Structure formats: structure tokens, C-alpha cells
Amino acid sequence: MRPEAVEAMLPFMTEVFANPSGSHRFARQARKSIDEARDVIAEAIGCKPGEIVFTGCGTESDNTAITGVIRRSPGVAVCSATEHHAVLHCVEHANGVVVRTNHLGTIDLEALQAALSPEVTSVSVMAVNNETGVITDLVAVSKLVRRYAPQAMLHTDAVQAACWLDLRTIWPLVDTMALSAHKFGGPKGVGILVVREGKFFEPIVLGGGQERDRRSGTHNVGGIVAAAEALRITDIERSSEVARIGALRDKLFAGLLAIEGAHRTIPAETSVPGVVHVCLQGIESESLLYLLDEADVCASAASACASGAMEPSHVLAAMGLTPDLTMGALRLSLGHTTTVEDIDRAIVAITDAVTRIRAVQNRRSL
Ligand code: PLP
């Protein structure tokens, strides 16, 4: 978490502990803090404060935007094949249409157009992919959806976008947008769903009617305040961080691509600076991650699932990458705490680990 977000959260775990739904003085104080946080977040998104719905996580925001819309307006749900499972599983559950992606990892626009019709009520295309970092051309997606599925609510999962793209450029293109605080230096367990005024969904969490009946449940006041502070700073620092981390990303890629058999998955021009994705031919990710863990380099292969076990990447499979490449997938994330020393250490550790694995492979094949 960003230290400023921790500091903003602390009073709500000690002296300001009231439930904002109450009517007494302390409750009003907590409610005021939520209102202020809502204003700050709206400013960073370029939306109206009333368009923000606080949820429990990015997953819940995605679920609400898809399942909640389909319940309210029954019809066909559409998404791209490389969506996070928080979207993909909802669309599959609704027997929807999963549109193929191209070899660069973005939705195939011709296939999207073919899937759209007046029967489609929900379309979901992510702003930035969590595994590869590839950025979607949402302008093109939005044009197609408005033209060929005019009834549809267009949702974007912007969970991975907040640190790198100005959300004010994304919000005008869509009807709903999902964010998750822990991706921009806020706490885990705070999600944001932005819903355009005049657009409706069936709430999926029912109860006390908080968030103007759109999401029930006692507010996580400290978490919401901390999320607002984290997003405020992320927004202010974004352009300098994109430049700083972009340079670190380029340095990391240069180091990794010097390794024999290393392939860059997505070109720099179409990806965010925070994700470095390579495939190391002939290397098994699992052995690599084991050695990297020992060297204090925290990396991943596909996406982490609840069991902590590695699952084959549906994203790389959808891009048509061959198994000899996908078995050696390596994903590294960079963020506001990443330094040039981290990059130097990572390059040495990864090069060393690959050399060790190849030495063992060579000995076995003798
Ligand atoms: N969408 C994307 C693109 C993500 O990367 C993640 C989490 O990694 C989620 C949704 C889910 O967010 P949360 O972990 O807050 O449920």
C-alpha cells in the first residue's frame, strides 16, 4: 500500500469506528468521509460522484456489471477470450459468447462485430490485460458496440489500467467500469464499480440498501478512504511514473531478451509499463519460479488462482502461442516501489536460473 493510504486508513481502525449507516454524530462523521472519498475518486475518473458504487473487490464489480445487467435486461452476454476469470466465468455462466483474440492478445474486432446484434445486452472488454499488459483499443470496441448492439451495456474491467492510463479517457467510452484498490496502492477488499447515470442493473448483493440500493453491506469506511487517497496520488503521479517505470521496463526487457530463446510476448507500444511478459523456450516455468523464489524474486507464470497452484494460461492459449513457448511463460510486475536495483537483481537472478536449468537439461540429455 502507498504509505499515504495507510495513514489515511488508520484513524478508521481506531477512533472513527462508527457505522456510516447510523444516525448519530459519529456515524455522520464516517458518512462524510465516504462522501469525500467518493468526490476524490470521481475526480480521478471524470465521472459524477453518484456514478460510483463501492463494492468488496474487483471481482464483485465485474460480476455486478455482467450478471446484474443480464438479470435486469435478459439477453446475450459477450466478452473477449482473454478476460480475467471474474468476467469470463460470468459470461460463460450466462451461456454467453466468448470472442476470439488475435495473436497480439487483443479482441478480434471482426469477430466482435459478428457476435454483436440487437439481442446482446452486455459486452465486456478489458482495458488492460492482467497477464500480458496489452492495452485494448476501446475506442474501436465502443464504436462497434454502439453501432451493432445499441441495447448493450458496455463494461470494461479497468483493474489493471488505473496506474498507467488516464481513466478520464476510458470512462466516456463505456457504461460501466471496474476498479480494485489494491492494484493502485490501496487496500485489498475495496472495489469500485462506476455505473453511468441512467443505466441500471439488478443488484447482486441484497440487504440494507447501501449505495442507493445498488450494493448492500456495511461500508468499509477506512478502506474506501484509503482507496481514494491511493487513487488521488496515482492520478497525480501517473505521467511521471509511466516514464520512470517505462524506462525500467525497457531495461528489464533488454536484460531478459539477451537470454537465448527468450521471446517478448507483447510489443512496448501496445502494453502498459507495469507488466513484463516473456516466454523462455524450452524452460518450464515451474522450475524457474522455484529458483527465482529462492533468489527473492517474486514472479508468476500464468495468473495466480485461489489454491496458489499454477494453471495453464487461457490468455496465452487464446493468443495462439504454441505450448513450447507457453510452458516457459514468465510474468513480472513493476510498480511504484520498483527501483533500478530491483531490475538489475532480477536480470541476474533470471539469467542465472535459466543457465542452471539448461545445465541440468544438458546433463540429462547426455
Ligand atoms: N480483473 C483483473 C484484470 C485483475 O487483474 C483482477 C485481479 O488481479 C481482478 C479483476 C480481480 O480483482 P480483485 O482481486 O479485487 O477481486
Side-chain angles (χ1 to χ4, degrees), residues 13 30 109 149 152 165 174 201 274 280-281 333 345:
M13 301 163 97
L109 292 173
L165 305 178
V174 297
F201 62 88
L280 297 157
Q281 208 147 14
S333 305
R345 274 185 58 195

Side-chain angles (χ1 to χ4, degrees), residues 22 53 104 127 169 184 206 210 216 250 271 284 287 304 320 322 326 329:
V53 180
L104 293 173
T169 63
F184 51 80
L206 304 173
Q210 286 88 344
S216 290
D250 293 345
S271 59
E284 268 182 27
S287 330
T322 51
T326 57

Side-chain angles (χ1 to χ4, degrees), residues 164 240-253 272-274 334:
W164 318 111
S240 58
E241 279 295 87
V242 164
R244 186 184 76 85
I245 296 176
L248 294 183
R249 180 257 320 257
D250 293 345
K251 185 174 164 61
L252 182 52
F253 263 121
V272 294
L334 287 71

Side-chain angles (χ1 to χ4, degrees), residues 57-60 62 84 86 126 128 130 157 159-160 180 182-183:
C57 55
T59 301
E60 188 193 327
D62 283 331
H84 188 276
M126 70 200 319
V128 173
N130 49 303
D157 175 336
V159 166
Q160 294 285 342
S180 178
H182 69 101
K183 301 297 182 190

